[in-house]
Amino acid sequence: MTGATAALTAIPPYLVVAVASLLVLALPRALGHGLGALATAFVFAQAVLLGDGGTGAHLATRFLGFDVVFFNVDPFSLLMGVVVGFLATAAVLYAYGSDAPRWVTSFALLYVATTLGTIYAGDWLTLIFFWELTAVTSTLLVWQHGGAAVRAGYRYALFHGTGGTILLAAVVVHFANAGTFLFSETAGIHPAATVLAAIGIGINCGFIFLHSWLPDTYPRPHVAASVFLSVFTTKTAAYVMYRAFPEGGMWLAYLGGFMAVYGAFFALLQYDPRRLLSYHIQAQLGYMLAGFGLATAVGEFAVVGGFAHLFNNVLYKSLLFMAVGVVIYRTGVEDIREMGGLWRVMPVTFLVYVVGAASITAVPGFNGFISKGMVLDSAHEVHEYVLLLDSGLLWWLLVLGGVGTFMSFIKLGYYVFFHGSATLSPDDATAFQTAGMVLAAGACVFFGVFYTQLIELMPFTELILSDEVYFKPYSTSHLTESAALLVAGFVGFFALKRPLGWLAHHMRDVDAVLFPAAFYAGRWSVWGVTESWAAVDRATMRVVGGAKWVAMNPRRLLANAGVDAEIRAGIGRSVLLLTLTAAVALFALLLG
């Protein structure tokens, strides 16, 4: 690289985006958003340039007495930098076209900046610093919208604050055992910290029973904010999960399989479109974690499948949030049963929705088909708990999750664009909304057709492209498997449409118990602490009052005790003794 290029690529991208977030507030709206899009485009371009020879530890120094790396560049962080920079640019254009207030875009860019800090961290100390900042910036992005988003934002902050605290404990234990925070000197997190790390990161990954913040929060803020939120927290968590457990583990793979089924099932019961998409974040994370977990059984092929699915999910999940966001923005309706027939009046939005739905459901020709196929192929190599067709439990979980995913997006598309007669006549997407959606949709199609370009962005590229046994995405068996899944999903939705409607009204997720339980536990805890303090305060004041009375009325005290004694004027020894005794007793009580 030239000297100018080398200097350019040495700039931490999160600083550039953070400055842009301030300029969005200071400058006219169009100019501020333009600079924001340029800043995120810089992130994309920088990652591409660094991929041509700029890898290594940049800004390695000592901070607070520890060795740290503020800008670590390796194949994994570069992959994240490419997709985060690309998608953030599309999201800024979309935000401008959606009339997002400047505060929304400013907080969103701060959120992107802290995400980049987490991605490019070269040590656990730097990572946990930016991890916690990401929780703060994303909470601000939720709160900004006001209304119902405020209470959801508080719950969101509590979840992520708890997860960050647990992860911090894991990092402390890791340092105590490893003696360093640096990634380069340790392979993953120390075994002594594995449980803490899994739970702390797992909250952000949406582990089952730790996931309720996802469908609770993402439907609440401005539609442009939901696009940013849908991408960065959970995908960064998946990336950090790999950093913590690079060797994988079947516990992680099976957990991913159950997440795929759980998320798809509850998505099928939703009528709020953003809530439906939020459950599918959990489901799709299941495929990523399954890929990472299978590293222990299958090797690098499974890891690449997990990262390819992460990359693709950033694109198609944001595209789907953009598409339903346009519908909400134009109609003001957030219940898909009140929509219908919109394909006639919103053809652009309908078309990009089809691209996003085809991508997430792994239709051949779209990017999800490539990465989901790699994860399924990896799972097929595991023959634990064989069920049917000589296939193990993990493979069947991922297949069932795939069927549920296809059913969900038939449901969403059916109700929004076809169901009933069109009772709404909104305008289609604005020009800048369209620009953002076309960028994401174009990438979904490009990487589905030119899939070798997707693999070349991944780690272990040469190994995967040379593997003619595993990597045949458009083989007859893959196409047949995909067709079977799509038919099963299509038939399943229309066959189960009525029972699913009944379940939607009668079956609740864990938040129906968790949120009230946490609320009342918090209220009772506050009551218990305040009442206990009040009781101590009352007891103390009674002791003080008694001591004062004794000091002021020694003759009456002796008389009440049946002692006939005369106390001379002035302060006698008995009064001094009683006063001193009361003071010592009070002091001892307060210390206790």
Side-chain angles (χ1 to χ4, degrees):
M1 292 190 291
T2 66
T5 303
L8 182 67
T9 54
I11 301 173
Y14 45 85
L15 293 182
V16 176
V17 178
V19 170
S21 72
L22 300 177
L23 294 177
V24 167
L25 295 176
L27 297 174
R29 189 171 184 275
L31 180 58
H33 279 76
L35 290 176
L38 286 175
T40 53
F42 166 81
V43 174
F44 170 77
Q46 182 191 50
V48 172
L49 290 172
L50 286 169
D52 294 330
T55 56
H58 301 273
L59 299 180
T61 184
R62 286 187 67 81
F63 180 66
L64 299 177
F66 303 104
D67 293 325
V68 296
V69 178
F70 289 122
F71 187 23
N72 180 61
V73 180
D74 62 16
F76 300 100
S77 60
L78 280 181
L79 168 67
M80 297 294 293
V82 167
V83 74
V84 166
F86 179 85
L87 190 279
T89 303
V92 170
L93 295 176
Y94 181 87
Y96 180 75
S98 302
D99 296 325
R102 287 188 292 181
W103 279 103
V104 167
T105 307
S106 178
F107 286 144
L109 288 173
L110 276 176
Y111 178 35
V112 173
T114 53
T115 298
L116 290 167
T118 307
I119 289 167
Y120 282 112
D123 62 275
W124 286 106
L125 183 62
T126 303
L127 186 147
I128 193 65
F129 173 76
F130 281 107
W131 178 277
E132 296 285 43
L133 281 181
T134 300
V136 174
T137 53
S138 55
T139 300
L140 292 174
L141 183 57
V142 175
W143 274 344
Q144 188 281 333
H145 196 56
V150 174
R151 180 169 289 187
Y154 276 112
R155 290 191 290 263
Y156 178 90
L158 287 172
F159 268 99
H160 292 287
T162 302
T165 302
I166 296 172
L167 180 58
L168 176 60
V171 170
V172 171
V173 173
H174 169 78
F175 179 81
N177 287 274
T180 181
F181 290 113
L182 295 175
F183 295 155
S184 59
E185 297 186 17
T186 56
I189 201 90
H190 193 276
T194 52
V195 174
L196 290 171
I199 296 173
I201 303 168
I203 289 176
N204 281 25
C205 281
F207 279 4
I208 297 173
F209 304 134
L210 301 177
H211 69 282
S212 52
W213 60 270
L214 254 172
D216 177 52
T217 307
Y218 287 3
R220 311 284 185 173
H222 192 282
V223 293
S226 289
V227 174
F228 286 94
L229 290 164
S230 70
V231 173
F232 299 119
T233 295
T234 48
K235 311 315 176 293
T236 303
Y239 165 81
V240 174
M241 187 68 78
Y242 177 77
R243 287 289 191 195
F245 303 101
E247 301 300 322
M250 292 308 297
W251 65 271
L252 187 59
Y254 279 105
L255 183 57
F258 283 107
M259 285 171 63
V261 175
Y262 191 96
F265 173 75
F266 275 98
L268 276 167
L269 307 184
Q270 308 308 311
Y271 290 104
D272 181 323
R274 288 190 287 176
R275 189 171 169 87
L276 183 153
L277 293 178
S278 298
Y279 272 109
H280 270 294
I281 293 176
Q282 181 193 31
Q284 295 301 303
L285 277 160
Y287 289 93
M288 301 170 210
L289 298 183
F292 300 156
L294 284 167
T296 188
V298 179
E300 289 84 357
F301 185 86
V303 173
V304 174
F307 269 105
H309 206 64
L310 186 159
F311 184 97
N312 289 335
N313 187 265
V314 169
L315 299 173
Y316 60 64
K317 181 59 66 175
S318 61
L319 176 59
L320 288 163
F321 267 92
M322 288 182 192
V324 300
V326 170
V327 174
I328 294 170
Y329 169 77
R330 286 302 197 188
T331 65
V333 176
E334 299 195 45
D335 188 325
I336 59 176
R337 292 168 294 186
E338 299 175 14
M339 303 175 186
L342 294 181
W343 73 273
R344 297 182 182 87
V345 292
M346 305 183 77
V348 173
T349 304
F350 171 64
L351 180 60
V352 296
Y353 170 80
V354 169
V355 172
S359 299
I360 195 173
T361 55
V363 173
F366 298 89
N367 60 351
F369 175 75
I370 307 300
S371 54
K372 187 177 286 187
M374 295 178 72
V375 176
L376 285 171
D377 282 349
S378 300
H380 211 280
E381 296 300 306
V382 177
H383 295 284
E384 296 178 342
Y385 315 112
V386 174
L387 299 179
L388 297 171
L389 304 176
D390 196 33
S391 298
L393 173 63
L394 179 59
W395 186 83
W396 277 107
L397 287 171
L398 297 176
V399 166
L400 187 58
V403 174
T405 299
F406 193 72
M407 291 172 65
S408 299
F409 287 95
I410 292 176
K411 172 182 178 175
L412 183 57
Y414 170 75
Y415 275 100
V416 174
F417 295 106
F418 294 102
H419 169 253
S421 58
T423 57
L424 304 170
S425 298
D427 294 329
D428 209 341
T430 66
F432 281 94
Q433 285 177 327
T434 301
M437 292 190 295
V438 167
L439 278 175
C444 289
V445 176
F446 177 82
F447 289 117
V449 176
F450 303 101
Y451 54 87
T452 56
Q453 298 297 314
L454 173 66
I455 302 304
E456 287 179 358
L457 291 170
M458 301 293 131
F460 315 120
T461 298
E462 294 181 1
L463 176 65
I464 301 304
L465 292 179
S466 63
D467 193 337
E468 297 181 358
V469 176
Y470 282 115
F471 191 61
K472 294 180 179 180
Y474 285 98
S475 65
T476 302
S477 61
H478 281 128
L479 294 173
T480 303
E481 181 181 271
S482 176
L485 290 177
L486 299 182
V487 170
F490 188 84
V491 173
F493 170 70
F494 288 102
L496 300 174
K497 185 169 174 288
R498 188 179 295 275
L500 288 173
W502 183 88
L503 282 174
H505 288 91
H506 294 86
M507 188 166 188
R508 301 290 302 277
D509 198 0
V510 294
D511 57 354
V513 175
L514 181 62
F515 289 168
F519 174 78
Y520 287 109
R523 172 179 284 186
W524 293 335
S525 297
V526 171
W527 179 86
V529 170
T530 54
E531 286 301 310
S532 298
W533 177 258
V536 171
D537 181 67
R538 288 191 296 268
T540 302
M541 294 309 296
R542 281 195 294 268
V543 171
V544 171
K548 179 181 177 181
W549 186 90
V550 168
M552 297 297 294
N553 303 280
R555 182 178 297 172
R556 290 181 60 185
L557 176 66
L558 292 174
N560 291 340
V563 178
D564 185 13
E566 180 181 352
I567 299 178
R568 289 174 297 200
I571 300 178
R573 292 181 180 179
S574 59
V575 175
L576 288 174
L577 181 60
L578 287 171
T579 303
L580 181 61
T581 302
V584 171
L586 177 61
F587 185 69
L589 176 64
L590 293 177
L591 284 182

